[in-house]
Amino acid sequence: MKVISTTKAPAAIGPYSQAIKVGNLVYTSGQIPIDPATGSFVEGGIKEQTRQSLTNIKAILAEVGLSMGNVVKTTVFLADMNDFADMNAVYAEFFTEPYPARSAVAVKTLPKGALVEIEVVAEVE
């Protein structure tokens, strides 16, 4: 098991790692829309928050030489399922075919009042 960490994504705000590599898989922790440069949420709504969450994931994967093309599974947590279409539009900018498997669920609340949190599993080729 190897811990993956980068300053190009927000630091963990609790007792967890940004990501863990086990065998040929990388598991990221859920990423909320914190800009690592400011330590604050990005301004805007669900589209901006989705873009920042995925940008954080992209930075974590890049730390071990991976790209979004290595992602095999994503889980998207939404504070409001009414935001699904707007989240999905931005999400589509980050992935190409073959698309990773995905689950999307609405939850009561997310850390720090985020509108979205996303985690992924990526394969090391």
Side-chain angles (χ1 to χ4, degrees), residues 42-55:
V42 293
E43 291 187 22
I46 188 65
K47 288 183 176 182
E48 293 80 9
Q49 288 198 17
T50 300
R51 186 169 286 106
Q52 185 63 55
S53 295
L54 289 168
T55 298

Side-chain angles (χ1 to χ4, degrees), residues 46-119:
I46 188 65
K47 288 183 176 182
E48 293 80 9
Q49 288 198 17
T50 300
R51 186 169 286 106
Q52 185 63 55
S53 295
L54 289 168
T55 298
N56 293 343
I57 288 168
K58 192 174 178 179
I60 293 167
L61 294 176
E63 187 65 20
V64 288
L66 301 179
S67 72
M68 298 302 265
N70 294 96
V71 175
V72 296
K73 172 71 168 83
T74 68
T75 305
V76 179
F77 302 95
L78 294 166
D80 185 345
M81 194 54 81
N82 290 319
D83 286 336
F84 181 85
D86 286 339
M87 173 281 298
N88 201 47
V90 174
Y91 180 97
E93 297 171 11
F94 283 79
F95 296 99
T96 58
E97 291 188 40
Y99 299 114
R102 178 178 78 185
S103 300
V105 297
V107 296
K108 186 174 179 181
T109 57
L110 288 167
K112 297 184 175 275
L115 300 176
V116 63
E117 179 174 3
I118 304 172
E119 65 183 23

Side-chain angles (χ1 to χ4, degrees), residues 4-46:
I4 299 165
S5 181
T6 178
T7 58
K8 295 178 182 173
I13 55 174
Y16 60 90
S17 300
Q18 287 176 329
I20 295 288
K21 180 179 178 288
V22 178
N24 68 335
L25 296 176
V26 172
Y27 299 85
T28 69
S29 291
Q31 293 299 303
I32 58 176
I34 294 176
D35 180 339
T38 65
S40 300
F41 276 180
V42 293
E43 291 187 22
I46 188 65

